[in-house]
Amino acid sequence: MIVTVRQKTRASLSTATFSFPYDIRMDSLITPSSTTTGATPDLIAISGVNLSLGRGAARVHILKDVSLRIGPGEAVGLIGASGSGKSTLLMVMAGLERPDSGEVVIDGTSFNSLDEDGLACFRGRQVGIVFQSFHLIPTMTALENVAVPLELAGKPDAHERAARELAAVGLGERLHHYPAQLSGGEQQRVALARALAPDPAILVADEPTGNLDETTGRQIADLLFSTQRERGMTLVLVTHDAALARRCDRVVRLRDGHIEGPATERHWIETASLA
């Protein structure tokens, strides 16, 4: 089965094709609803969000009236075909993309009420972000990379806290190594430590194991979920890995910019990451 992958930026759109297997057992985790049950207040509340990317004739409507509720401490996997909007939804949730309409409320704060500086400050305190491609600063050591968000937040003990976070992800002996001196798995551990350093309420991860081999990817996944449980954080991740998605409390599937209900009986669906 071949699907179209659309790599999105505001300026341009390009396409490529991939196909991936899907484990039908994951369907039992898929929620048909845009809300969670129970009396616990939502930590993440997304209502009627629309977002288009690109310019002129290349402009594409990516998210279409999306609503989603996620509770405190919940682990949620976003799945779907390439171009379905899952990575874009994650970026909206993290405050890295502004929707054209609708509302995003995180821990009672509406993004609509914040200007760009206010949103950046809020994101720095409340949201940790892990990218597929690590996004480490090559001229900084592991310690300096992890200290960056703490220094931006004005923390006087930034380097001490950064060292503790690196030790927690197993890199206590690699503090002064530069990214080029680290393996892919070690770089992703640095990226995870950086995301966790400000002690955010929410951790979002876009294909966190996508650039890693199977063994290293499993180690990073173990670290993600164990840290999420220990700290009681909310975890939202985009993945095309059925094994990784099955570890979440709930799976939400997107199709063509909409949140979809339960899957039909099929052993393959089109799933791929958005870069």
Side-chain angles (χ1 to χ4, degrees), residues 87-268:
S87 288
T88 304
L89 177 59
L90 196 75
M91 294 301 101
V92 167
M93 198 179 297
L96 292 174
E97 288 280 6
R98 289 273 196 179
D100 300 324
S101 63
E103 185 176 35
V104 178
V105 178
I106 304 295
D107 199 18
T109 297
S110 171
F111 285 178
N112 290 351
S113 68
L114 301 174
D115 60 17
E116 290 303 319
D117 289 341
L119 182 57
C121 290
F122 182 86
R123 183 172 58 243
R125 294 192 308 269
Q126 294 286 75
V127 184
I129 306 171
V130 179
F131 298 97
Q132 178 179 353
S133 299
F134 319 139
H135 290 304
L136 301 178
I137 301 171
T139 56
M140 288 186 172
T141 65
L143 182 67
E144 291 167 338
N145 267 281
V146 176
V148 165
L150 298 171
E151 291 174 331
L152 290 174
K155 303 296 183 183
D157 59 345
H159 280 248
E160 289 80 2
R161 288 177 59 173
R164 289 197 298 271
E165 291 294 350
L166 284 165
V169 299
L171 292 179
E173 303 300 318
R174 310 284 274 174
L175 303 183
H176 303 295
H177 287 67
Y178 290 91
Q181 298 172 312
L182 301 172
S183 68
E186 288 173 331
Q187 290 185 62
Q188 192 61 298
R189 286 172 185 264
V190 175
L192 178 57
R194 180 182 58 192
L196 295 171
D199 196 24
I202 300 166
L203 182 64
V204 300
D206 192 2
E207 293 285 4
T209 62
N211 279 350
L212 306 174
D213 62 73
E214 184 178 354
T215 299
T216 305
R218 190 181 306 114
Q219 293 170 349
I220 293 296
D222 290 344
L223 194 55
L224 269 174
F225 283 97
S226 64
T227 303
Q228 182 252 341
R229 289 192 302 270
E230 290 166 4
R231 302 195 184 192
M233 295 184 304
T234 295
L235 171 64
V236 186
L237 62 86
V238 165
T239 187
H240 65 253
D241 184 337
L244 186 58
R246 285 199 304 273
R247 298 181 66 169
C248 296
D249 302 317
R250 182 161 57 110
V251 175
V252 175
R253 178 185 294 162
L254 278 84
R255 181 181 292 275
D256 191 28
H258 298 280
I259 289 179
E260 193 181 49
T264 57
E265 290 295 322
R266 58 191 172 208
H267 293 280
W268 291 73

